[in-house]
Amino acid sequence: MAYFFKKLTDRLGHIADSINGNVTLPDSPEKDDKTAENGNRPDATTIFDNAIDKRDIAVKALLNEFRQATGSTSNAIASLFIYVIVDREDYDVKKYSWADDTMKEHLRLELDNAMLEGVGRNRIEIDLITSDKLPQSSIEIIGGHLYYSFVTPHRRKEKTVRAKITVVEGTGSIDKSHYILDSEAGHIFHIGRGTLSTKPGAYRPNDIVIRSDDPDRNLQSANNHVSSAHADIVAENGNFYLKALQWGCRPMGGASTKLIHGGESHEIKDTAMKHPLHDGDLIELGRQVILLFSTSDI
């Protein structure tokens, strides 16, 4: 562990680039004696390859920062706010997929193991924000990319946002001609086949209902690939986001959920990330049902 933190300190600039996927690796990285003695230790060519490694780097950097609080139960450190700096408001979610609920769970476990139970004991939050929205109380961990604070951020009143959901003709069918999403009426809008979820332990009425009884056999055949608890649209921070549920996530044994933005299709492969929605985006559920998300035609 001490070895890792030494290397971490020596390469903060390298890590910062890695967190955003911009790392440039040397052709022939030098290995010190400890690396040579342990052939299994990842070197600079492998340690920053994926979301798991990036999450691990962030957690270890935070853990190292809080070492002096070992054993403390002070209320001053009971709420931990972590800020990940994104490059723009409509950031590429794949680029920051490491900053998710799994990272919070990993950090909580590591804090407890290090007798740092008091750090974030009431709550741990991770916010992905642009640098201009970074609170003044925040403290830098990884140069320009990762910050934290124990001060509850001032939450400005969120602006009201509205959107319209329709189905692309011929791809499937919904119970109404369209659905209007209004953040003043609610912040989570459930998507699923039928009016209620039939999944064990997931009782919920659906706000956007994919028909379960369409007389058109072709349309109903398409609808049948949509789960009764498939996905959610979340209104947050003046924006709408798409979030897949377990039954709408193929890696978790469910059906597929895809977000189509600017002609590019991205399959959602986790249930932790919220994916920003923009006017004109398409949401593909199962194999065929396609919903149109619109903020300009309401």
Side-chain angles (χ1 to χ4, degrees):
M1 186 66 74
Y3 167 80
F4 182 89
F5 285 131
K6 180 179 183 302
K7 299 299 289 183
L8 182 64
T9 301
D10 292 343
R11 296 203 308 252
L12 276 180
H14 183 87
I15 292 171
D17 286 339
S18 170
I19 285 290
N20 274 317
N22 301 321
V23 64
T24 302
L25 299 172
D27 294 331
S28 302
E30 294 183 5
K31 297 183 179 180
D32 58 23
D33 293 337
K34 290 188 177 181
T35 303
E37 292 171 4
N38 183 359
N40 295 323
R41 185 186 302 281
D43 61 22
T45 62
T46 61
I47 197 168
F48 305 123
D49 286 345
N50 53 53
I52 295 175
D53 294 330
K54 293 174 182 178
R55 187 182 298 123
D56 191 53
I57 288 167
V59 168
K60 283 183 168 64
L62 288 162
L63 195 68
N64 193 41
E65 175 73 10
F66 304 145
R67 287 291 182 186
Q68 293 184 354
T70 300
S72 174
T73 58
S74 170
N75 287 331
I77 59 174
S79 294
L80 172 61
F81 303 92
I82 299 168
Y83 300 103
V84 176
I85 304 302
V86 297
D87 50 5
R88 60 186 190 275
E89 288 286 351
D90 60 337
Y91 59 88
D92 180 354
V93 294
K94 300 186 295 296
K95 191 173 180 180
Y96 304 95
S97 61
W98 54 274
D100 56 10
D101 288 344
T102 300
M103 175 179 163
K104 287 199 290 187
E105 294 168 3
H106 186 184
L107 178 60
R108 179 71 272 158
L109 177 62
E110 292 298 323
L111 288 170
D112 291 346
N113 288 342
M115 294 185 292
L116 288 162
E117 299 94 336
V119 176
R121 70 177 182 275
N122 289 346
R123 58 174 166 166
I124 296 176
E125 293 185 14
I126 300 177
D127 283 342
L128 281 70
I129 60 176
T130 52
S131 58
D132 59 304
K133 295 183 179 179
L134 189 66
Q136 291 185 351
S137 63
S138 57
I139 299 171
E140 184 181 84
I141 289 292
I142 295 179
H145 299 289
L146 185 65
Y147 296 76
Y148 77 92
S149 175
F150 292 117
V151 179
T152 302
H154 174 67
R155 305 288 188 185
R156 291 178 293 180
K157 183 179 179 181
E158 294 184 5
K159 68 177 181 180
T160 299
V161 286
R162 301 177 79 234
K164 180 179 178 181
I165 296 290
T166 53
V167 66
V168 175
E169 185 176 357
T171 67
S173 58
I174 55 180
D175 255 8
K176 298 181 179 181
S177 62
H178 64 272
Y179 290 93
I180 298 296
L181 312 183
D182 190 330
S183 62
E184 287 193 349
H187 291 279
I188 300 180
F189 303 90
H190 303 312
I191 307 173
R193 177 166 46 87
T195 56
L196 291 173
S197 167
T198 60
K199 296 299 182 183
Y203 172 81
R204 62 180 218 162
N206 285 318
D207 303 291
I208 302 168
V209 179
I210 310 301
R211 292 195 64 173
S212 58
D213 57 354
D214 197 301
D216 186 314
R217 294 179 61 183
N218 290 329
L219 293 179
Q220 190 55 49
S221 176
N223 293 350
N224 287 338
H225 294 286
V226 178
S227 169
S228 63
H230 199 104
D232 289 336
I233 292 179
V234 181
E236 188 175 270
N237 300 324
N239 295 292
F240 284 104
Y241 300 85
L242 177 65
K243 189 173 186 289
L245 300 182
Q246 174 186 345
W247 302 278
C249 184
R250 282 203 305 164
M252 301 185 72
S256 65
T257 301
K258 295 180 181 179
L259 177 59
I260 304 170
H261 172 71
E264 294 188 6
S265 177
H266 168 64
E267 181 172 355
I268 298 176
K269 296 183 178 181
D270 63 70
T271 59
M273 288 293 292
K274 295 190 290 287
H275 302 256
L277 285 165
H278 304 89
D279 183 44
D281 281 355
L282 299 174
I283 302 169
E284 183 184 300
L285 308 172
R287 298 181 181 178
Q288 298 179 38
V289 178
I290 299 177
L291 304 178
L292 171 63
F293 175 88
S294 174
T295 57
S296 58
D297 180 25
I298 301 178

